[in-house]
Amino acid sequence: MPSCLPYYAPVSSDEPEESSVSTVVATAVGTGHHTLRVQGYSRLKTMHGGNGTYVESSAFKAAGHTWRIYCYLDGKGPEDAGFVSLFLMCDPADTSTGNALATDATTGNAPAPDAYTDNAPAAAESVVHAEYEFALVHHRGTLIKWPSRSVRGSASAFCSSKMWGFLRFISKEDLEGSRFLKDDCFAVRCKVTVLQELAIKEEDARPLGPGKAFARFLCSSIRG
């Protein structure tokens, strides 16, 4: 008895196939700057120059959030003694839900050897994604014409339990021998760019070609 293959009606070639495209975009929603000026460096080095101690900026607004800069004049950890460490933190009042403060010291995005962190932010914590950059500028806070010392951090997740920055921004020897230190003063300019993720769906109903190829594929699959 001959076998009877099921019959499939051919797909009309003049009927367009529906298609859509989704695009996920990380876009900058705001940028701000703040300059921390360290006036009386030699005295502050005595008062706050011990390894692991810091001076901090006042709270400042940038890109819709509140931030602070932390400057360790003799390094954040023992292995970073002799260097200036710089960190940026989103103010806990701007992101926290009452959690204890911890730090995630980093040079880029990898945790540093001396870092202490709560691992992932608590589920209730608000996270701000931002790029940041530190640059030595004229001691009056203005941009300079000669080459500057600047370091940029990639997109990082800021919350009340994490701050990001650079353990070895510049050595004390290099700083004290440079023209960035003038009249016992130096200045660091911080640039903050806040990022936001957006999902965009774009409809596209243009024909993708004849539908006969799909029908042939079904027929060949059955016969095979």
Side-chain angles (χ1 to χ4, degrees):
M1 182 176 179
S3 60
C4 182
L5 294 174
Y7 172 76
Y8 292 91
V11 179
S12 175
S13 62
D14 56 359
E15 293 183 5
E17 296 181 8
E18 294 183 357
S19 66
S20 61
V21 177
S22 293
T23 304
V24 179
V25 181
T27 182
V29 295
T31 299
H33 306 86
H34 183 78
T35 298
L36 170 62
R37 188 167 61 176
V38 179
Q39 180 77 52
Y41 169 72
S42 58
R43 292 176 177 174
L44 288 171
K45 189 169 59 171
T46 301
M47 298 166 62
H48 300 281
N51 180 251
T53 62
Y54 59 85
V55 295
E56 65 180 280
S57 71
S58 58
F60 62 93
K61 283 284 188 180
H65 297 274
T66 305
W67 308 86
R68 289 181 188 270
I69 300 169
Y70 292 83
C71 177
Y72 297 78
L73 296 176
D74 191 33
K76 186 178 183 299
E79 61 272 28
D80 303 305
F83 288 84
V84 175
S85 301
L86 286 174
F87 290 92
L88 175 68
M89 184 172 186
C90 198
D91 196 285
D94 200 63
T95 60
S96 73
T97 55
N99 294 334
L101 174 65
T103 62
D104 189 359
T106 172
T107 52
N109 278 331
D114 67 331
Y116 171 75
T117 176
D118 286 337
N119 296 322
E125 278 190 294
S126 175
V127 175
V128 178
H129 291 90
E131 298 171 340
Y132 57 97
E133 180 181 1
F134 289 111
L136 285 171
V137 294
H138 191 277
H139 69 289
R140 293 180 180 175
T142 57
L143 295 177
I144 56 177
K145 295 182 179 180
W146 64 80
S148 177
R149 165 71 176 178
S150 63
V151 186
R152 178 178 296 179
S154 57
S156 305
F158 289 86
C159 61
S160 65
S161 60
K162 285 191 176 183
M163 64 180 182
W164 298 90
F166 303 94
L167 291 169
R168 299 186 176 188
F169 176 72
I170 189 171
S171 70
K172 291 169 59 179
E173 181 181 359
D174 288 344
L175 174 64
E176 294 171 3
S178 73
R179 46 187 169 177
F180 293 110
L181 182 64
K182 184 175 178 61
D183 298 331
D184 206 29
C185 175
F186 74 92
V188 177
R189 183 174 183 260
C190 179
K191 177 181 178 181
V192 186
T193 301
V194 172
L195 308 175
Q196 184 178 11
E197 181 180 304
L198 300 175
I200 304 171
K201 185 177 181 181
E202 303 171 1
E203 297 291 344
D204 184 2
R206 292 176 299 175
L208 297 181
K212 294 182 180 180
F214 183 67
R216 286 198 298 268
F217 170 75
L218 290 177
C219 293
S220 62
S221 300
I222 294 171
R223 290 168 184 166

